[in-house]
Amino acid sequence: MDTSCFIRPAIEADIDALFDICLKTANGGEDASALYSDPHLPGYVWSVPYLKFAKDFAFVLVQDDRPVGYVVGVADTSRFDRDLQTNWWPFVRQQIAGLAPTRPRDADVMERIQNPRSGTAWLQDQYPAHLHINILPGLQASGWGRRMIATELQALRNHGVGAVHLGVDPNNERARGFYRRLGFSEFEQDGSVAFAMRIDEGLG
């Protein structure tokens, strides 16, 4: 494990890093820069709103004073979605007004911005919290992912959360293996893949 790295709570000054890491990992853990015409598109959905509206559950992995990964989450997916509906998506829609989808993934994310959903709807009743984690390709499989997940789960536990879920790109076999090894249960429905865990037990 790289001892030059450490985990700390995310702060407002990390927003640009969260946008960048999200873009550089949005293609099944690899760089998706060529897939979006606006480099902010993935971060609008999967990283920055968590820092802004669920700060207690936002952490970054830092190497040489530079964030190289993040883990973000929310305690209550339904409440988070309501909050974003009022306080985030109107702003984002203004930011992308006039943007025409010209790259392979533009239309998918633009549709999510118009019809947002942050968790996995068919799991969030039983597993109300959810999380996202991304680490730049050079530090993936370094042992830090496990530590970041443990940090996130402890923060959720500290807020009385009993169960959490997350979605995974169905093609990202490495991520699927990672969550299985951590003790998450795997679910598949309608072509989407998700993992869930009772956190009043797993990961000690």
Side-chain angles (χ1 to χ4, degrees):
M1 184 178 290
D2 189 330
T3 54
S4 68
C5 296
F6 63 93
I7 299 166
R8 65 161 169 79
I11 56 173
E12 195 78 8
D14 295 324
I15 283 179
D16 287 346
L18 262 63
F19 272 124
D20 187 57
I21 295 163
C22 197
L23 179 69
K24 299 278 172 58
T25 55
N27 184 21
E30 301 294 326
D31 191 350
S33 298
L35 303 179
Y36 296 98
S37 43
D38 179 340
H40 291 101
L41 280 175
Y44 283 144
V45 175
W46 291 295
S47 63
V48 173
Y50 293 82
L51 174 56
K52 288 190 160 290
F53 299 100
K55 204 168 190 172
D56 288 345
F57 309 109
F59 302 90
V60 288
L61 176 66
V62 177
Q63 182 182 48
D64 302 326
D65 294 327
R66 185 177 73 100
V68 292
Y70 63 78
V71 61
V72 293
V74 300
D76 182 330
T77 297
S78 299
R79 185 183 305 156
F80 182 68
D81 282 345
R82 289 194 297 272
D83 205 4
L84 296 195
Q85 200 66 49
T86 306
N87 299 310
W88 179 243
W89 298 121
F91 161 77
V92 174
R93 290 173 192 137
Q94 284 183 323
Q95 299 304 300
I96 65 165
L99 181 67
T102 56
R103 298 276 181 91
R105 297 274 184 90
D106 287 350
D108 284 350
V109 171
M110 292 168 78
E111 190 275 329
R112 292 215 36 162
I113 290 168
Q114 296 306 324
N115 301 288
R117 56 204 179 277
S118 67
T120 301
W122 41 275
L123 279 178
Q124 67 192 47
D125 284 347
Q126 201 174 348
Y127 301 90
H130 76 270
L131 65 87
H132 296 287
I133 178 173
N134 281 301
I135 301 173
L136 290 176
L139 274 166
Q140 291 170 11
S142 64
W144 282 102
R146 172 181 280 273
R147 291 180 70 170
M148 291 172 75
I149 292 283
T151 300
E152 181 67 38
L153 297 188
Q154 193 56 54
L156 290 166
R157 273 194 206 100
N158 291 346
H159 281 74
V161 174
V164 63
H165 75 275
L166 59 115
V168 173
D169 181 332
N171 301 314
N172 192 340
E173 276 304 328
R174 190 167 58 182
R176 293 172 77 164
F178 171 70
Y179 293 115
R180 287 185 205 116
R181 286 191 300 277
L182 288 183
F184 283 82
S185 301
E186 187 168 7
F187 298 88
E188 259 186 90
Q189 185 171 306
D190 302 326
S192 65
V193 174
F195 286 81
M197 180 191 276
R198 297 282 326 165
I199 58 171
D200 28 28
E201 43 213 44
L203 264 196

